[in-house]
Amino acid sequence: MKIIMLGAPGAGKGTQAQLIADKYGIPHVSTGDIFRANIKNGTELGMEAKKYMDQGLLVPDELTVRILLDRVAKEDCKDGYVLDGFPRTIPQAEVLDQALTERGDRIDFAIDVDAPDENIVKRMSGRRACLACGATFHVEHIPPKQEGICDRCGQELVLRDDDKEETVQKRLDVYHEQTQPLLAYYEKKGVLRTVDGTKTMQEVFAAVTALLG
Ligand code: AP5
Ligand code: MG
């Protein structure tokens, strides 16, 4: 099963993608997590990506597409994956489609986690992220078992550099401009499904699993 998670920054794409990955036994592939792991490890890719991420801007397509195609070509992705944060522009979606078509393959579902901007700004300040495994928590809504420590891998949880209020607003603007057109793109392909992202994490996941079967 090949799934794309769509939705604004903070809508809950990563949270739902992780739940899907665990339930269906497919890898959770997040371009944001790949970039953050590279920043943490001080790689050249990380340094380049950070310039854009810290401003709330998108990393250029050439760089992002290469990273994503390399990742999904790995053995663990051969039976499917859940993409979180990719594609984010029409050109990225076209490159992915072309790569899949060449192998006689296609995306099964593009799930839009729909949440209005007001909900999002509130959520972001409470988010805590694990830069080691990509897990995400919220200090109030989805707290880790032990404060500041990741439930999944035991590493330290941090506030992301791009979760400052003014950067969040910029990311939302970029989303509406460059990423939202993907909803129409996938609707046209007949694979778009929408879930209400303002519900609790469990309710959203129940809606997702009802779609996926
Ligand atoms: P990325 O890491 O993808 O960030 P994003 O799209 O801005 O989305 P977020 O991770 O902020 O939110 P989310 O939807 O995953 O929400 P979450 O589940 O954490 O990208 C970061 C940057 O990398 C980009 O700005 C860009 O620069 C670059 N980049 C990445 N991919 C790129 C690409 N393809 N092209 C170009 N550039 C790219 O949830 C948010 C919070 O709410 C959490 O605290 C969570 O615990 C909580 N929460 C989740 N669900 C619920 C719920 N139902 N109720 C209450 N709280 C909830
Ligand atoms: Mg995320």
Side-chain angles (χ1 to χ4, degrees), residues 10 13-15 30 33 36 84 127 136 160:
K13 300 180 297 295
T15 301
S30 157
D33 286 350
R36 280 185 289 278
D84 159 22
R127 170 160 62 188
T136 302
R160 271 171 42 181

Side-chain angles (χ1 to χ4, degrees), residues 146-175:
Q146 193 186 336
E147 198 185 318
I149 303 293
C150 177
D151 286 358
R152 294 181 70 225
C153 75
Q155 297 287 307
E156 183 197 7
L157 297 174
V158 297
L159 185 68
R160 271 171 42 181
D161 285 344
D162 58 351
D163 277 351
K164 285 182 290 207
E165 204 173 320
E166 60 284 13
T167 316
V168 169
Q169 194 51 58
K170 179 69 195 165
R171 286 160 61 202
L172 284 168
D173 295 345
V174 167
Y175 167 76

Side-chain angles (χ1 to χ4, degrees), residues 22-180:
D22 290 346
K23 179 172 164 90
Y24 295 92
I26 51 178
H28 168 199
V29 176
S30 157
T31 36
D33 286 350
I34 295 172
F35 290 139
R36 280 185 289 278
N38 274 276
I39 293 171
K40 188 170 182 246
N41 296 326
T43 70
E44 209 172 303
L45 165 69
M47 295 305 132
E48 185 61 19
K50 188 171 164 54
K51 288 194 233 158
Y52 300 93
M53 291 170 75
D54 282 354
Q55 297 180 66
L57 300 174
L58 297 185
V59 177
D61 284 346
E62 313 84 79
L63 196 61
T64 310
V65 159
R66 188 159 47 82
I67 300 297
L68 190 277
L69 292 182
D70 281 356
R71 177 64 189 90
V72 297
K74 296 227 158 78
E75 180 64 18
D76 65 335
C77 286
K78 72 176 186 345
D79 294 329
Y81 42 76
V82 50
L83 299 186
D84 159 22
F86 186 100
R88 256 182 151 88
T89 63
I90 299 280
Q92 289 183 11
E94 288 170 347
V95 172
L96 176 64
D97 272 346
Q98 198 193 334
L100 287 167
T101 308
E102 277 166 16
R103 278 180 271 136
D105 208 347
R106 53 169 278 162
I107 290 296
D108 298 296
F109 295 104
I111 303 176
D112 177 34
V113 183
D114 185 30
D117 292 7
E118 308 84 80
N119 287 50
I120 285 168
V121 177
K122 278 189 216 137
R123 271 187 198 173
M124 295 305 227
S125 56
R127 170 160 62 188
R128 295 297 177 270
C130 175
L131 299 184
C133 78
T136 302
F137 301 87
H138 190 282
V139 288
E140 281 167 39
H141 307 145
I142 306 164
K145 291 194 185 79
Q146 193 186 336
E147 198 185 318
I149 303 293
C150 177
D151 286 358
R152 294 181 70 225
C153 75
Q155 297 287 307
E156 183 197 7
L157 297 174
V158 297
L159 185 68
R160 271 171 42 181
D161 285 344
D162 58 351
D163 277 351
K164 285 182 290 207
E165 204 173 320
E166 60 284 13
T167 316
V168 169
Q169 194 51 58
K170 179 69 195 165
R171 286 160 61 202
L172 284 168
D173 295 345
V174 167
Y175 167 76
H176 291 302
E177 227 171 84
Q178 302 192 51
T179 308
Q180 215 167 11

